[in-house]
């Protein structure tokens, strides 16, 4: 009898362990490939919609010069009129008043490079359009830029951090990319929503490379395969999330990989760049494969226990070869095929974010 009870206890423990593992797998699937009512938001095409854009860039006080293409003299306006249309449903239109109700008393933080800045400015403009007469404050302190609306108790912050892992100046060594360290994560604590991004800066080399050494496994090296470095850094970030985020208090999103359009051969225009492009690639497919970084992002997220929702912006943004500032970035940036005009494509990234906020 004793041996039977022992066997039964072991069987129950095994069953409970299996169920927990299965539930974790389901959670991974839901956040890695999020859908609403069975609809995949990330497969679709761009359609003209005369009700767009979602805001007038000339009335938004938060857009920096490099993203304000109309102010910088871009003559065409059709790029402002495109709406992302998923194949099997319609993406919920951003409702600023509803957004403010849901996030009353909440803190939202974007963490990443200037593409995170693109999305941050977009969201602040979308909120401002809903409450154009409301008082707001702007605070810029070190890596943090915060816009808040005191009457609504909402703050939206950008934490400028190009790699998510630490980049530090060390005496007698120089700039070191510490690929296994995230001391900077202290700035991310206490937020209700975190939206992360990194990739473009991992590709910089030559005079644009921001480090002299990479520290990995306690050793200093001059350089390494950039995709491998990105994967190691993103894995370090994933460990930070696992150790420091309480999903009951903080929702975590990952922006995805924003593409650039410097080489027209990608969309079958050999000598072209983003300059002079006035409409998207037609249809739902892009002639060139997804960037290799997308596979790395999905692999790292798939191994996480804590839920992280991937906004998966890559394909829909690949189709928008017309959406970049190009020669209308102002200042010294004479040909920008990496960032995005505002109003523009990042507004759709924020509509995706909103869609997952409002889903049942």
């Amino acid at each position: 009898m004793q041996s039977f009870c022992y066997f039964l206890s072991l069987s129950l423990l095994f069953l409970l362990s299996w169920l927990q593992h299965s539930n974790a797998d389901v959670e991974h699937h839901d956040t890695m490939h999020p859908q609403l009512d069975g609809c995949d938001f990330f497969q679709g095409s761009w359609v003209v919609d005369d009700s767009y854009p979602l805001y007038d860039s000339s009335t938004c006080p938060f857009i920096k010069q490099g993203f304000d293409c109309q102010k910088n003299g871009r003559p065409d306006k059709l790029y402002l009129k495109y709406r992302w249309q998923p194949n099997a449903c319609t993406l919920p239109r951003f409702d600023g008043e509803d957004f403010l109700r849901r996030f009353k008393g909440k803190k939202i933080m974007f963490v990443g490079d200037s593409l995170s800045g693109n999305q941050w400015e977009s969201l602040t403009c979308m909120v401002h359009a809903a409450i154009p007469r409301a008082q707001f404050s702007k605070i810029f302190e070190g890596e943090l830029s915060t816009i808040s609306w005191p009457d609504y108790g909402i703050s939206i912050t950008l934490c400028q951090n190009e790699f998510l892992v630490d980049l530090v100046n060390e005496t007698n060594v120089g700039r070191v990319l510490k690929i296994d360290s995230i001391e900077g994560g202290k700035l991310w604590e206490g937020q209700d929503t975190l939206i992360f991004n990194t990739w473009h800066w991992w590709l910089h080399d030559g005079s644009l490379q921001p480090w002299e050494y990479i520290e990995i496994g306690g050793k200093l090296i001059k350089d390494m395969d950039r995709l491998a470095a990105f994967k190691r850094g993103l894995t370090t970030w994933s460990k930070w999330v696992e150790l420091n985020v309480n999903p009951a208090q903080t929702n975590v999103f990952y922006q995805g990989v924003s593409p650039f359009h410097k080489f027209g051969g990608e969309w079958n225009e050999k000598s072209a760049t983003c300059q002079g492009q006035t409409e998207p690639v037609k249809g739902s497919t892009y002639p060139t494969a997804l960037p290799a970084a997308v596979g790395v992002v999905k692999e790292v997220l798939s191994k996480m226990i804590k839920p992280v929702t991937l906004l998966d912006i890559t394909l829909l943004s690949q189709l928008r070869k017309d959406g970049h500032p190009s020669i209308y970035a102002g200042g010294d940036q004479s040909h920008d095929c990496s960032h995005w005009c505002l109003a523009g494509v990042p507004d759709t990234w924020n509509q995706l974010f909103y869609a997952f906020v409002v889903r049942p």
Side-chain angles (χ1 to χ4, degrees):
M1 183 68 181
Q2 262 186 334
S3 61
F4 174 75
C5 290
Y6 177 72
F7 174 77
L8 185 61
S9 298
L10 281 178
S11 299
L12 286 170
L13 283 172
F14 175 79
L15 180 60
L16 285 170
S17 175
W18 180 84
L19 285 171
Q20 286 176 334
H21 181 74
S22 297
N23 286 338
D25 283 347
V26 170
E27 191 169 58
H28 288 162
H29 180 79
D30 287 345
T31 54
M32 276 292 297
H33 306 282
Q35 297 184 348
L36 191 62
D37 296 331
C39 176
D40 184 348
F41 284 146
F42 310 115
Q43 298 296 318
S45 59
W46 292 93
V47 298
V48 174
D49 186 331
D50 287 332
S51 70
Y52 275 57
L54 296 174
Y55 55 88
D56 182 346
S57 60
S58 68
T59 64
C60 178
F62 311 128
I63 303 177
K64 74 176 187 180
Q65 182 183 13
F67 302 156
D68 196 346
C69 301
Q70 288 294 303
K71 187 176 181 180
N72 293 331
R74 182 167 176 170
D76 61 305
K77 295 183 188 292
L78 184 60
Y79 75 94
L80 295 166
K81 295 293 184 181
Y82 284 100
R83 171 175 58 81
W84 177 246
Q85 177 61 60
N87 290 331
C89 61
T90 298
L91 193 63
R93 189 180 179 93
F94 183 82
D95 183 334
E97 292 183 359
D98 175 68
F99 184 87
L100 286 162
R101 281 193 297 271
R102 292 174 184 273
F103 282 92
K104 186 175 179 62
K106 303 292 186 182
K107 293 184 285 186
I108 302 168
M109 178 180 280
F110 291 88
V111 185
D113 57 22
S114 51
L115 277 308
S116 289
N118 236 173
Q119 189 176 2
W120 170 69
E121 289 185 21
S122 162
L123 185 60
T124 59
C125 288
M126 291 162 77
V127 170
H128 180 266
I131 46 170
R133 294 180 180 83
Q135 293 286 329
F136 61 84
S137 69
K138 296 191 283 186
I139 299 174
F140 302 96
E141 188 174 354
E143 296 127 3
L144 302 179
S145 303
T146 301
I147 297 171
S148 58
W149 288 264
D151 292 344
Y152 294 85
I154 182 176
S155 68
I156 307 177
T157 297
L158 171 67
C159 179
Q160 193 81 21
N161 187 319
E162 286 79 9
F163 299 98
L164 301 184
V165 294
D166 297 328
L167 179 65
V168 300
N169 271 305
E170 294 197 345
T171 307
N172 300 324
V173 177
R175 297 167 299 172
V176 180
L177 182 63
K178 293 178 172 284
I179 213 165
D180 299 323
S181 171
I182 301 192
E183 290 298 316
K186 294 183 177 75
L187 294 175
W188 314 338
E189 296 172 358
Q191 300 293 317
D192 299 287
T193 299
L194 290 164
I195 305 169
F196 291 97
N197 154 64
T198 181
W199 168 236
H200 281 213
W201 277 68
W202 295 88
L203 299 173
H204 288 187
D205 56 14
S207 62
L208 295 177
Q209 181 177 300
W211 68 79
E212 275 77 48
Y213 292 94
I214 294 174
E215 183 177 284
I216 180 169
K219 296 180 179 179
L220 291 178
I221 59 174
K222 288 294 287 184
D223 209 349
M224 63 183 290
D225 177 83
R226 299 306 179 84
L227 196 64
F230 172 63
K231 182 177 180 179
R232 178 79 172 229
L234 201 62
T235 300
T236 301
W237 162 82
S238 73
K239 292 175 182 176
W240 182 92
V241 172
E242 302 284 25
L243 288 171
N244 294 280
V245 170
N246 179 353
Q249 297 174 347
T250 303
N251 293 315
V252 181
F253 294 80
Y254 194 88
Q255 183 193 80
V257 176
S258 177
F260 44 75
H261 291 91
K262 297 177 181 178
F263 310 108
E266 289 188 1
W267 61 90
N268 300 323
E269 284 185 61
K270 269 194 177 178
S271 59
T273 67
C274 70
Q275 184 176 342
Q277 301 294 329
T278 58
E279 58 184 16
V281 173
K282 289 180 170 49
S284 300
T285 58
Y286 191 66
T288 307
L290 295 170
V294 175
V296 171
V297 169
K298 291 184 177 181
E299 181 184 349
V300 171
L301 294 188
S302 71
K303 294 176 180 177
M304 295 179 68
I305 301 300
K306 298 282 180 71
V308 177
T309 299
L310 176 62
L311 295 180
D312 209 1
I313 63 169
T314 308
L315 174 60
L316 66 91
S317 303
Q318 277 184 318
L319 298 173
R320 290 304 305 271
K321 58 186 173 65
D322 60 319
H324 300 283
S326 177
I327 59 173
Y328 303 106
D332 297 327
Q333 295 186 39
S334 59
H335 194 192
D336 185 353
C337 293
S338 298
H339 299 101
W340 303 90
C341 295
L342 294 179
V345 173
D347 304 333
T348 296
W349 304 350
N350 283 317
Q351 280 190 271
L352 290 167
F353 166 53
Y354 176 69
F356 295 121
V357 168
V358 303
R359 65 178 174 176

